[in-house]
Amino acid sequence: MSVRVVARIRPLLDKELDKDMIVRADSIEPGKPNTMVKIPNPRNEGEEFSFTFNSVYDQSTSQETLFTSEVAPYLKSLFQGLDVTIFAYGVTGTGKTHTMRGGMKLADRGVIPRLLSGVFRRGKKIMKDTGGETTVEVALSYYEIYNDKVYDLLEPPEKRTPTGLPLRAEASGRTVVVGLSERSCADLKDFEKLYIEANTNRVTAATKLNAHSSRSHAILRVKLTQTTGDMVRESTASAIDLAGSEDNRRTDNGKERLVESAAINKSLFVLSQCIDAISRGDKRIPYRESKMTRILSLGQNNGITVMILNLAPLRSYHLDTLSSLNVSSRAKRIEVREIENEVVFKQVPKASSGTTSGGIQRQPLRPLANVHNVHNGNIAAKAADAKQATDANKPVKAFSVYTDKSKPTTTAPPTMPRPVANSSQLRRSGGAKRPSDQESIVRPSKLARPVAHTLSAPSAPSNTMTVSAAQIEALVEKKVSEILAARVAAEQSAQAPQVQVQPDISEAVQKRLDALERRIDSEEWRDDSKSSGLKILLEARQHKERGDDAAALRAYEMALPYFPGQAKLLSKIEKLRARLGGDAPSPRPHRSAKMEDKRRRVFDDNGEYHDGEADIEEMSFVEPPKPKARKTRAKATRPTSMLLEDDGPASPRAQQLLEVVNSRDIAQIKGLVGFGSKKAQDLVDYLSLLGEEEGGRISSLAQLRSVPGMGGRTVERAYEVAFWEA
Ligand SMILES: Nc1ncnc2c1ncn2[C@@H]1O[C@H](COP(=O)(O)OP(=O)(O)OP(=O)(O)O)[C@@H](O)[C@H]1O
């Protein structure tokens, strides 16, 4: 089924006036529930735009009505093993925190306390109805993403580290926060105490647009564990209060608020790009460009997702409101698989024939959840889907998850039969299911998880699994394609060695995954290291501009390990050292006498050293120009020239490129190599989000490269090809 998108229009606040109201809820036919938001066209007030959602709640809607209509129905699903995600989205000051958290008075309580109240009530009822045979445990984790860093809200702020908590992608496709604390919660009182205290750790501040503005995205995870005998079912409700986008022309934000605002706007911009990409059916979804989108995993996660779009009815929010209406309209197209989490078993005896040594210490890989949103799909995913469809027609197996059909296995027969899907008392009872677009599709088979990992019960001997080589391949391929996107998946599939069926299959899985993780880590490291280097270069530049040559020299030297052997960087260091009358010159890259002449000429002609151009000249001198070889040479020099543009004054070529970019003229931007309509539009949208401090402009190639969705390669191509003759 699709993401459910509902809109809520907040009432006017004390100082707001009736005459400024421009947003209203409407229904398709009189007497029917509201499903439309109407708002005038800002260019022609006589014309009205209509946006349709699953439901629209007007100013008079109480907290109780919203909860009863939009959240309470999914409590049942949560207890049936589905994950439920509810998130509030909207411009600053539109009522997201009011909707999710609410006030202290009973009637004002928002979605989160009501959800917890419902969870405890239902949990108690289940325990009572089963005579205690089923136990229900609730555990909370609560964290915020502030300036793109993750902080645990259940821990005091003093415990925060400057880098925050890291994220990790699990085999299931879910992104988890590493090192997050989890507190078990016995009842509503327990919860309130924890929640109120944790909220004091969240970063909020007064802005011109909201006296208590959230400066971070807050994510509450409620983990529900239902245990009946040795069957355990886990499901999670996530309630997310996103920070609101801000137009800094209206905020009067000071420096600190501006930094927060830039981080908030950037993550929301990435979210809107993800929504666009999913709704277009793109293969590459830019989740990884912000922590918030990685965590939210819109369209990747299974279960039920409800997006609450909060709106202010006022004219002063006109353009912002239109923008959120547009994004939310597209979010309706995102498909989310309504798949229950599987039942797992604790205390499964270890196979006596000893096919493993120790078992695996991670969740088994499961089919990726977001394949349904990747319309031009990947091969591994398709193959796995086809396999699932075939498997679904076969009789349900005993607890062994995978068997290698090609070879008789020595694994002892499992002693614990896995219940047939519909016979489990914890499974869906049929009637409660929401109509699903996927109804006719056979559900993918689910795998059991090793229990030792998921339960806090005394450690049980870990369960071992028998996995065929082909299955290992398919699963690993899918993980790769998810994390590194289709490009890397294809690479991986081409290089993947054939895993032999070995006596200890779980070890093979483990090894493969470890290698994969190392690879991903190193990919991330490369990105991080490059951006760290660029940051240091920027710092150096700032020192230089302030006339602090000694500090500039130190910073350039610090940047050197990130860009080893860069001629321009070495030359800067050398010049600064000479100016400071210090150390011996640093080693220079080998240059011919002719090259030195040319270099001097560049200095002389321009009066002053012109960084990027000088290096391009310099590099082109190494190989005298040949018409045919030009393209190859351009390619070879690209990284150097681009890097050199990151620091120092922009060359005429860079200036020309930036002028086109900052023109905000789609036609001009589309004239750049590698810029289609979409990229041009995204760039213009991004420019409109830039605060006044940045002058609403992109001022360097490094900044252009950091625009979400842009990528270094695009900028390089635009730089190299469009103005080659410049
Ligand atoms: N439905 C509502 N009924 C009454 N008051 C509301 C409602 N929605 C919002 N408000 C009030 O509007 C103001 C702004 O709301 P809130 O702080 O929830 O906005 P927000 O979207 O979370 O903003 P930010 O993104 O800056 O955190 C608050 O004073 C809140 O009490």
Side-chain angles (χ1 to χ4, degrees), residues 535-552:
K535 272 183 206 146
I536 300 172
L537 279 182
L538 189 70
E539 239 171 67
R541 178 78 210 159
Q542 285 160 350
H543 289 312
K544 209 168 139 196
E545 242 145 48
R546 278 198 301 272
D548 187 349
D549 284 354

Side-chain angles (χ1 to χ4, degrees), residues 8 10-11 13 91-98 210 212-214 243-244:
R8 181 186 200 185
R10 75 153 165 79
L13 304 181
V91 181
T92 182
T94 51
K96 296 179 295 297
T97 306
H98 179 85
N210 185 1
H212 298 282
S213 180
S214 311

Side-chain angles (χ1 to χ4, degrees), residues 4 6-13 21 23-26 33-37 55-71 94-95 98-100 102-103 106-111 114 308-311 313:
R4 182 170 172 86
V6 301
R8 181 186 200 185
I9 307 170
R10 75 153 165 79
L12 291 176
L13 304 181
M21 270 182 51
V23 181
R24 66 191 174 92
D26 204 354
N34 289 335
T35 51
M36 282 193 294
V37 173
S55 229
V56 175
Y57 297 90
D58 66 15
Q59 285 86 340
S60 64
T61 307
S62 67
Q63 297 280 60
E64 189 187 356
T65 306
L66 184 84
F67 177 79
T68 313
S69 321
E70 294 303 335
V71 184
T94 51
H98 179 85
T99 298
M100 298 307 286
L106 218 57
D108 289 344
R109 288 188 318 159
V111 162
R114 285 170 198 270
I308 303 175
L309 165 64
N310 287 93
L311 299 168

Side-chain angles (χ1 to χ4, degrees), residues 372-390:
H372 54 288
N373 275 317
V374 180
H375 305 293
N376 35 7
N378 70 50
I379 296 160
K382 277 181 188 159
D385 273 357
K387 181 165 180 355
Q388 283 158 10
T390 326

Side-chain angles (χ1 to χ4, degrees), residues 309-331:
L309 165 64
N310 287 93
L311 299 168
L314 298 173
R315 181 177 303 282
S316 52
Y317 287 75
H318 204 155
L319 295 181
D320 292 330
T321 303
L322 273 171
S323 158
S324 355
L325 284 164
N326 270 316
V327 171
S328 312
S329 281
R330 289 195 287 270

Side-chain angles (χ1 to χ4, degrees), residues 270-342:
V270 176
L271 176 62
S272 75
Q273 284 205 314
C274 290
I275 291 175
D276 282 359
I278 301 169
S279 63
R280 274 197 310 267
D282 286 3
K283 204 187 284 184
R284 184 186 174 274
I285 317 292
Y287 290 114
R288 292 185 69 82
E289 288 177 18
S290 127
K291 292 220 167 75
M292 183 266 277
T293 47
R294 282 181 75 183
I295 286 169
L296 188 59
S297 292
L298 205 53
Q300 264 194 322
N301 47 357
N302 292 330
I304 288 162
T305 302
V306 181
M307 172 178 188
I308 303 175
L309 165 64
N310 287 93
L311 299 168
L314 298 173
R315 181 177 303 282
S316 52
Y317 287 75
H318 204 155
L319 295 181
D320 292 330
T321 303
L322 273 171
S323 158
S324 355
L325 284 164
N326 270 316
V327 171
S328 312
S329 281
R330 289 195 287 270
K332 286 184 303 186
R333 287 186 238 152
I334 298 174
E335 289 289 320
V336 183
R337 283 193 175 175
E338 203 177 311
I339 296 176
E340 299 153 14
N341 294 325
E342 74 276 14

